[in-house]
């Protein structure tokens, strides 16, 4: 009789459990997000300002179009103003001829409402790319059959070796979580001289543009954390998702800001995949 009573009591207690709904995606205050690139090529120089959205929100982001944006040259104090372009939703230098110079430090300045933000970066010397080759490969373990590109180059630097490669295939940027191609000198850099193979199988006549960036460490770490966030599935064994650590400082106003600022040289090359036997 005691056993039956215990079982009934357990069933009654279990059936009276209250369902709790977590308030996911209900954050009222949206945070400004700043994504800035300052390079030695004017086409890459831009600042994008948006309002954050919740982790599970699928709606389009809200673009901030009424901010004051500029870059300060550290050595001279010269101010480089940016203007907002409605068509692209981006801020770009008022004078397209302005660009980063190797060895110079730059500070991004953003003023929006009562908030002031800043971030700094040093323009580093680019590595050297000697050649870009491709070769047809049969199907391999974890590799489909197709044409594979190898990048050969030299990285003579003993520090600040933090790199990203972007791949644009037929005018479309590969931008999935597996497409953030990041590498540093943790395990050496000899593989770059021996040929860095990109893990994509291309087809004949594909047009492929490669862009190589040398990043300051704080920007590199931001991207590393972003990749970890993109791979976070929210499962039982995953840590709670959190935003990457920004390298942008709040000078005045609300204490929260997201995003990052990158000062970097850019090496780019476009190839069209052809059968070398033709």
């Amino acid at each position: 009789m005691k056993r039956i009573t215990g079982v009934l009591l357990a069933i009654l207690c279990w059936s009276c459990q209250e369902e709790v709904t977590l308030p996911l995606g209900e954050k009222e205050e949206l945070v400004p997000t700043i994504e800035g690139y300052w390079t030695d090529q004017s086409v890459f120089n831009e600042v994008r300002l948006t309002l954050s959205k919740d982790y599970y929100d699928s709606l389009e982001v809200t673009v901030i179009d009424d901010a004051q944006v500029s870059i300060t040259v550290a050595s001279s104090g010269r101010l480089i103003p940016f203007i907002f372009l409605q068509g692209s939703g981006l801020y770009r230098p008022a004078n397209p001829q302005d660009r980063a110079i190797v060895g110079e430090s730059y500070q991004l300045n953003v003023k929006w409402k009562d908030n002031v933000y800043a971030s700094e970066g040093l323009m580093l010397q680019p590595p050297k790319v000697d050649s870009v080759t491709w070769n047809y490969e049969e199907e391999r373990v974890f590799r489909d059959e197709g044409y594979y590109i190898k990048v050969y180059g030299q990285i003579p630097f003993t520090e600040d070796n933090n790199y990203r490669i972007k791949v644009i295939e037929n005018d479309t940027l590969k931008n999935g979580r597996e497409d953030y191609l990041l590498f540093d000198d943790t395990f050496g850099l000899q593989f770059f001289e021996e040929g860095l193979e990109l893990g994509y199988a291309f087809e004949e006549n594909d047009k492929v543009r490669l862009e190589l960036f040398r990043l300051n460490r704080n920007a590199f770490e931001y991207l590393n954390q972003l990749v970890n966030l993109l791979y976070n599935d929210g499962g039982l064994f995953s840590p709670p998702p959190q935003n990457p650590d920004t390298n942008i400082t709040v000078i005045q106003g609300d204490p929260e800001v997201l995003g990052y600022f990158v000062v970097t040289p850019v090496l780019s090359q476009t190839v069209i995949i052809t059968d070398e036997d033709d």
Side-chain angles (χ1 to χ4, degrees), residues 71-86:
I71 280 180
T72 303
V73 183
S75 63
S76 64
R78 184 171 72 92
L79 205 66
I80 301 173
F82 278 56
I83 57 176
F84 181 76
L85 301 180
Q86 195 69 45

Side-chain angles (χ1 to χ4, degrees), residues 35-67:
E35 297 171 282
Y37 269 79
W38 186 240
T39 77
D40 53 355
Q41 298 185 36
S42 58
V43 67
F44 293 96
N45 294 337
E46 63 185 39
V47 176
R48 177 176 171 84
L49 294 176
T50 59
L51 288 176
S52 67
K53 61 179 184 178
D54 296 302
Y55 188 70
Y56 299 103
D57 191 349
S58 60
L59 298 177
E60 293 291 329
V61 296
T62 300
V63 175
I64 298 174
D65 59 5
D66 57 347

Side-chain angles (χ1 to χ4, degrees), residues 28 97 99 128 135 154 172 174 182 212 243 262 278:
E28 294 182 0
Q97 300 304 315
R99 62 191 67 188
K128 182 179 179 181
N135 190 50
Q154 301 175 33
T172 299
K174 290 184 174 293
L182 306 171
L212 174 61
N243 293 312
V262 179
D278 292 344

Side-chain angles (χ1 to χ4, degrees), residues 133-176:
T133 67
W134 59 90
N135 190 50
Y136 185 83
E137 300 285 350
E138 300 292 342
E139 184 176 356
R140 296 171 286 172
V141 178
F142 304 119
R143 287 284 194 272
D144 296 328
E145 66 175 339
Y147 291 91
Y148 283 82
I149 288 178
K150 275 190 175 183
V151 183
Y152 294 85
Q154 301 175 33
I155 300 179
F157 316 115
T158 58
E159 58 185 6
D160 297 320
N161 286 312
N162 311 291
Y163 302 92
R164 179 186 182 185
I165 294 178
K166 287 185 180 181
V167 180
I168 299 90
E169 180 183 9
N170 298 322
D171 299 322
T172 299
L173 171 66
K174 290 184 174 293
N175 201 30

Side-chain angles (χ1 to χ4, degrees), residues 2-241:
K2 289 183 179 179
R3 180 178 298 177
I4 296 175
T5 302
V7 171
L8 289 175
L9 181 61
I11 293 174
L12 288 173
C13 289
W14 176 75
S15 64
C16 292
Q17 289 179 349
E18 181 180 358
E19 181 179 355
V20 177
T21 302
L22 296 176
L24 297 175
E26 298 180 3
K27 183 177 175 60
E28 294 182 0
E29 294 296 329
L30 300 182
V31 178
T33 300
I34 302 172
E35 297 171 282
Y37 269 79
W38 186 240
T39 77
D40 53 355
Q41 298 185 36
S42 58
V43 67
F44 293 96
N45 294 337
E46 63 185 39
V47 176
R48 177 176 171 84
L49 294 176
T50 59
L51 288 176
S52 67
K53 61 179 184 178
D54 296 302
Y55 188 70
Y56 299 103
D57 191 349
S58 60
L59 298 177
E60 293 291 329
V61 296
T62 300
V63 175
I64 298 174
D65 59 5
D66 57 347
Q68 299 175 34
V69 179
S70 64
I71 280 180
T72 303
V73 183
S75 63
S76 64
R78 184 171 72 92
L79 205 66
I80 301 173
F82 278 56
I83 57 176
F84 181 76
L85 301 180
Q86 195 69 45
S88 62
L90 299 169
Y91 294 83
R92 291 192 179 274
N95 181 0
Q97 300 304 315
D98 284 322
R99 62 191 67 188
I101 298 174
V102 171
E104 184 63 79
S105 293
Y106 298 91
Q107 177 177 295
L108 172 67
N109 315 293
V110 176
K111 187 177 188 302
W112 179 61
K113 295 184 177 180
D114 296 325
N115 306 311
V116 179
Y117 311 101
S119 183
E120 296 181 355
L122 172 66
M123 179 62 173
L124 299 168
Q125 184 178 348
K128 182 179 179 181
V129 173
D130 295 323
S131 62
V132 177
T133 67
W134 59 90
N135 190 50
Y136 185 83
E137 300 285 350
E138 300 292 342
E139 184 176 356
R140 296 171 286 172
V141 178
F142 304 119
R143 287 284 194 272
D144 296 328
E145 66 175 339
Y147 291 91
Y148 283 82
I149 288 178
K150 275 190 175 183
V151 183
Y152 294 85
Q154 301 175 33
I155 300 179
F157 316 115
T158 58
E159 58 185 6
D160 297 320
N161 286 312
N162 311 291
Y163 302 92
R164 179 186 182 185
I165 294 178
K166 287 185 180 181
V167 180
I168 299 90
E169 180 183 9
N170 298 322
D171 299 322
T172 299
L173 171 66
K174 290 184 174 293
N175 201 30
R177 62 186 185 180
E178 69 279 1
D179 300 318
Y180 282 81
L181 307 181
L182 306 171
F183 64 95
D184 59 13
D185 56 6
T186 300
F187 303 105
L189 294 167
Q190 292 79 11
F191 64 86
F192 198 57
E193 296 182 8
E194 298 167 358
L196 172 61
E197 183 181 88
L198 306 182
Y200 302 104
F202 297 103
E203 298 180 356
E204 190 173 357
N205 297 319
D206 277 347
K207 182 176 72 171
V208 183
R209 186 169 85 250
L210 307 177
E211 298 171 354
L212 174 61
F213 304 82
R214 186 184 180 196
L215 309 175
N216 290 173
R217 188 67 189 183
N218 54 13
F220 182 80
E221 288 296 342
Y222 176 93
L223 290 174
N224 265 327
Q225 294 176 35
L226 177 62
V227 171
N228 291 334
L229 176 62
L230 294 175
Y231 274 99
N232 190 315
D233 59 5
L236 179 62
F237 300 103
S238 297

